[in-house]
Amino acid sequence: PFAAQPILDMRGPHAKLITNLEHLNADAGGGGADGGADVPMAELQHNLRLLVDMCEASIQKLDAKLRHEQDTAVLLQKEQQRLEAAEAASRAEAGSISRVLHLVEDC
């Protein structure tokens, strides 16, 4: 009648291949070699640990991005100051050249 379909049990820290649903229920309460019965709510603890690890990775990634953005902002401010100083020097030089040109024209 029905062909047995393998089931991948992802409820714990390690995936298990189950070919029969009876084995699925037996593994859930049977206390396997990995000590699953000794840890209360092992699946929940595993899932919470996984969520915490994912959140930590996300926070670290955002922190690195924030530090990069702050460094970029500092570099851009320094570049702006340098360009403003260069502009002021160019304006002063242009003013000096303009005065010299007027003196030459007056002669």
Side-chain angles (χ1 to χ4, degrees):
F2 292 108
Q5 292 185 354
I7 298 170
L8 191 57
D9 184 5
M10 300 290 290
R11 294 181 296 166
H14 305 289
K16 300 175 191 171
L17 184 64
I18 308 284
T19 56
N20 188 347
L21 289 178
E22 292 173 5
H23 293 131
L24 180 66
N25 291 333
D27 285 348
D34 61 348
D38 297 333
V39 180
M41 296 184 284
E43 295 88 3
L44 180 60
Q45 289 183 7
H46 168 72
N47 289 339
L48 286 175
R49 210 172 314 116
L50 185 63
L51 285 172
V52 168
D53 291 344
M54 289 170 53
C55 288
E56 277 183 1
S58 177
I59 289 170
Q60 290 172 354
K61 182 178 177 182
L62 290 173
D63 183 53
K65 185 176 179 180
L66 177 64
R67 278 187 271 119
H68 175 72
E69 296 294 334
Q70 289 171 341
D71 292 344
T72 301
V74 168
L75 290 174
L76 289 174
Q77 285 176 345
K78 288 180 181 179
E79 180 71 9
Q80 181 182 9
Q81 291 171 355
R82 185 188 68 78
L83 290 173
E84 287 172 351
E87 178 193 18
S90 295
R91 284 184 187 271
E93 188 176 331
S96 297
I97 291 174
S98 176
R99 283 190 297 269
V100 169
L101 182 63
H102 286 316
L103 287 174
V104 170
E105 288 176 351
D106 290 343
C107 290

